[in-house]
Amino acid sequence: MTKDEHGGMLGCGKSVPARARRQHGGQANYVKNVLRLKEGDKIIVFNGREGEWQASLADAGKRGATFRIGAKVRNQEDGPDIDYLFAPLKRARLDYMVQKATEMGVGRLQPVLTHRTTPERVNLERMRANVIEAAEQCGILRIPEVIAPRKLAALLADWDRERALIFCDEASQERCPFTTLARVRPGPLALLVGPEGGFDESERALLASKPFVTSISLGPRILRADTAAVAALALVNGVLGDWR
């Protein structure tokens, strides 16, 4: 059986239309022409809220497709309360980073604009499509929320101080990330990875001035931002997340 996703409410006996848009054309087109499903064929569907359900293709006309929902096969999954904050990357590497962050269980994806951010424009629809694709391929039922970009200073000014912010700093004096993370209070947290050129001195000073910020090192080698995402999320999940 194949996994797909749509935004309708799921429940046994309901009929739910395929989404009108997808990264590579309509979802109805994907179901009919890529998966080559016919009316009555079985599929597994989820919407990121109500678990995973058996379904069958009830209608596959020229204008769209409709699923008939059957029995629930898996309850909705929760995950660690981790926001992933990052300076936007160029297209292919951003796609990779979004997919890996989804696989690593983040709850929200927040682009952050810094003084050295390039590019500053972010295609949020493409990000959402990559989130869904990663969830489909890996059987993940929780779909991370994709949030519009914000400037770093504005984000910190409005910060919820109950959420610890882990700042990946190549200049951090804390050499062992495991020891540093062990001192962070368990609970909601966010992880921040900067742009390829790093944060400038004013941004590093701003972050250091905030009592809710903890800086960690990612080791003795300089990592590209998409590699740093995977390394940092693995560390955080192992010490503070749901890998414990």
Side-chain angles (χ1 to χ4, degrees):
M1 290 183 287
T2 306
K3 186 181 297 292
D4 214 308
E5 181 274 349
H6 54 80
M9 296 290 289
L10 300 181
C12 187
K14 285 191 173 184
S15 294
V16 181
R19 293 192 318 158
R21 294 198 297 168
R22 190 183 173 91
Q23 184 176 356
H24 302 296
Q27 192 177 60
N29 175 71
Y30 178 76
V31 168
K32 292 184 292 182
N33 299 322
V34 178
L35 300 180
R36 297 188 179 279
L37 298 184
K38 308 295 184 185
E39 291 185 20
D41 285 350
K42 303 297 183 182
I43 192 170
I44 296 292
V45 299
F46 70 105
N47 63 3
R49 300 186 303 273
E50 296 153 328
E52 188 175 66
W53 297 72
Q54 293 179 349
S56 59
L57 188 58
D59 176 56
K62 292 183 179 180
R63 296 185 177 181
T66 301
F67 301 112
R68 174 73 66 180
I69 307 301
K72 179 182 277 191
V73 296
R74 192 154 51 119
N75 290 328
Q76 181 63 31
E77 296 173 349
D78 200 358
D81 189 358
I82 299 175
D83 293 356
Y84 184 67
L85 283 56
F86 61 94
L89 305 172
K90 292 182 180 179
R91 182 168 172 169
R93 293 174 57 213
L94 179 61
D95 291 349
Y96 173 87
M97 186 276 295
V98 168
Q99 291 165 6
K100 298 310 158 188
T102 300
E103 293 173 31
M104 299 292 277
V106 304
R108 285 159 293 279
L109 289 160
Q110 169 75 71
V112 178
L113 304 180
T114 72
H115 293 161
R116 294 173 177 165
T117 296
T118 55
E120 291 192 357
R121 298 183 65 182
V122 182
N123 186 334
L124 297 181
E125 284 302 312
R126 185 178 179 88
M127 283 184 60
R128 293 185 182 103
N130 275 293
V131 162
I132 291 169
E133 182 176 340
E136 289 174 349
Q137 291 180 353
C138 296
I140 299 167
L141 297 186
R142 187 174 75 153
I143 300 174
E145 180 184 0
V146 175
I147 304 172
R150 295 194 68 189
K151 292 185 176 181
L152 177 63
L155 189 70
L156 294 176
D158 295 338
W159 195 260
D160 175 5
R161 298 193 175 214
E162 294 301 311
R163 182 176 296 276
L165 176 57
I166 310 301
F167 160 42
C168 297
D169 182 9
E170 66 272 19
S172 175
Q173 298 303 306
E174 299 282 349
R175 304 316 301 167
C176 178
F178 297 102
T179 301
T180 306
L181 289 171
R183 297 197 293 264
V184 176
R185 182 182 64 185
L189 61 91
L191 181 64
L192 172 63
V193 171
E196 290 296 324
F199 294 97
D200 70 15
E201 289 305 317
S202 66
E203 291 169 330
R204 186 172 281 108
L206 176 63
L207 286 160
S209 72
K210 303 299 181 182
F212 50 83
V213 173
T214 298
S215 71
I216 63 170
S217 166
L218 294 181
R221 287 166 290 280
I222 299 297
L223 304 179
R224 296 181 70 170
D226 46 347
T227 307
V230 178
L233 285 167
L235 286 169
V236 168
N237 266 318
V239 179
L240 296 167
D242 59 358
W243 291 11
R244 293 175 291 168

